[in-house]
Amino acid sequence: MRVDEHGIRHSAGEPVAIVQKPISTCGDVHVVLPAYNEAVALPSLLARIAGTDLAPRITVWVVDDGSSDGTGACTADVRGLDVRLVTHPVNLGLGQAVQSGLMAALAEAAPDDVLIVMDADDTHDPGVFPAMLAEIKAGADVVICSRFVAGGDDSTAPQWRRLLSRGARVVFGKVLHFDGVQDFTSGFRAYRVSLLRRAAAHWGERLVEERGFACMVELLLKLRHCGPIVSEIPLHLRYDRKPGASKLRLGRTLKQYLLLLTRDRLAPVPFRKL
């Protein structure tokens, strides 16, 4: 009598069936870029995405959130990249731009596709797309580009933004106990389309309700009800590439985080398995 690696007992000489773990696959890639007055930064970012080896598999969804500087026009003549434009006539805030981008991409994406959300201000590096997809192939449902894992670096960001992200890490980490997450506020993430579809089937247009920067935390909180596997890879934030001032308002964002935590504590758990 012997016991195999799965804890099953076998008689001597009995053939053992080899059980293989399913291999995860990745389809095409959809990149959502919420953009408000990013006409200076956006062309550089689109060119860098077009220069990646993954470019033939990428569809970029630029959400022009009521810009007044011609941001939408930057999408017209990008070579080597499929760029789609979603337009808000007036500025509705980052949260609604993310919501519009997610819904537009989900309407066309296949279940095994991957959806990446990143900032349009050229501070996030599309060169890490292969590493994000590798984590998805390894079994992750959400991949967060994190400032707080080995190799992460946000030293080019203003001190007050670094303090905010670290404070959020401590508070959300203590309150939420979300396995695998250290960087709750990172705006650079990859998601399995199948995971987002499950969440969207439950919340619909309420998948992202926050208007401001707290929307990234909100989306993560809702996705946790789907039981995702979350992985983090290093984020090298290039704030020195940002051409303009930050649109984040410290006081307003802190208030949004506190209200979000309160609503999350009071909101009922989904009545059915997502």
Side-chain angles (χ1 to χ4, degrees), residues 38 94 119-121 123-124 147-148 153-169 183 185-188 212-214 216 235 237-240 242 244-251 253-254 257:
E38 298 291 0
L94 176 61
D119 290 352
D121 59 4
T123 59
H124 294 160
R147 292 158 285 193
F148 307 127
D153 180 18
D154 64 346
S155 59
T156 58
Q159 188 67 22
W160 64 269
R161 286 201 63 153
R162 300 181 71 199
L163 289 172
L164 176 63
S165 61
R166 281 153 178 77
R169 175 194 182 188
D183 198 336
T185 58
S186 172
F188 194 3
F213 285 82
M216 300 308 296
L235 169 63
L237 185 66
R238 290 295 307 274
Y239 208 87
D240 54 317
K242 185 177 178 65
S246 174
K247 300 179 180 71
L248 186 150
R249 297 294 177 263
L250 181 59
T253 303
L254 285 172
Y257 285 160

Side-chain angles (χ1 to χ4, degrees), residues 9 21 26 42 46 51 83 88 94 98 107 109 149 160 197 215 229 231 243 254 266:
R9 296 177 180 272
K21 294 181 180 180
C26 292
L42 188 57
L46 292 175
V83 182
H88 290 171
L94 176 61
V98 170
V149 297
W160 64 269
R197 282 238 172 91
C215 68
I229 297 173
S231 176
L254 285 172
L266 297 176

Side-chain angles (χ1 to χ4, degrees), residues 14 30 148 163 187 194:
E14 179 185 352
H30 297 261
F148 307 127
L163 289 172
S194 57

Side-chain angles (χ1 to χ4, degrees), residues 191-214:
Y191 308 89
R192 286 186 188 274
V193 163
S194 57
L195 172 72
L196 289 173
R197 282 238 172 91
R198 285 160 54 200
H202 179 77
W203 277 284
E205 293 300 321
R206 293 174 45 247
L207 182 59
V208 181
E209 297 175 279
E210 290 287 337
R211 294 177 63 92
F213 285 82

Side-chain angles (χ1 to χ4, degrees), residues 21-26 130-141 143 192 229 231:
K21 294 181 180 180
I23 299 174
S24 180
T25 59
C26 292
M132 300 173 91
L133 296 187
E135 293 294 317
I136 296 287
K137 289 180 179 179
D141 299 303
V143 181
R192 286 186 188 274
I229 297 173
S231 176

Side-chain angles (χ1 to χ4, degrees), residues 56-205:
R57 295 171 50 195
I58 292 177
T59 301
V60 176
W61 301 85
V62 175
V63 183
D64 182 3
D65 187 30
S67 300
S68 58
D69 67 344
T71 291
C74 298
T75 65
D77 299 312
V78 182
R79 295 184 179 182
L81 194 63
D82 183 2
V83 182
R84 317 284 180 88
L85 179 63
V86 179
T87 303
H88 290 171
V90 298
N91 180 250
L92 299 177
L94 176 61
Q96 288 307 296
V98 170
Q99 170 77 7
S100 294
L102 293 180
M103 293 302 143
L106 290 177
E108 294 200 15
D112 63 342
D113 287 352
V114 176
L115 193 152
I116 295 174
V117 179
M118 64 191 302
D119 290 352
D121 59 4
D122 207 20
T123 59
H124 294 160
D125 182 11
V128 303
F129 286 178
M132 300 173 91
L133 296 187
E135 293 294 317
I136 296 287
K137 289 180 179 179
D141 299 303
V142 180
V143 181
I144 300 174
C145 291
S146 172
R147 292 158 285 193
F148 307 127
V149 297
D153 180 18
D154 64 346
S155 59
T156 58
Q159 188 67 22
W160 64 269
R161 286 201 63 153
R162 300 181 71 199
L163 289 172
L164 176 63
S165 61
R166 281 153 178 77
R169 175 194 182 188
V170 172
V171 173
F172 289 128
K174 287 183 177 297
V175 173
L176 301 177
H177 306 292
F178 199 147
D179 289 342
V181 180
Q182 296 188 64
D183 198 336
F184 290 86
T185 58
S186 172
F188 194 3
R189 301 179 190 157
Y191 308 89
R192 286 186 188 274
V193 163
S194 57
L195 172 72
L196 289 173
R197 282 238 172 91
R198 285 160 54 200
H202 179 77
W203 277 284
E205 293 300 321

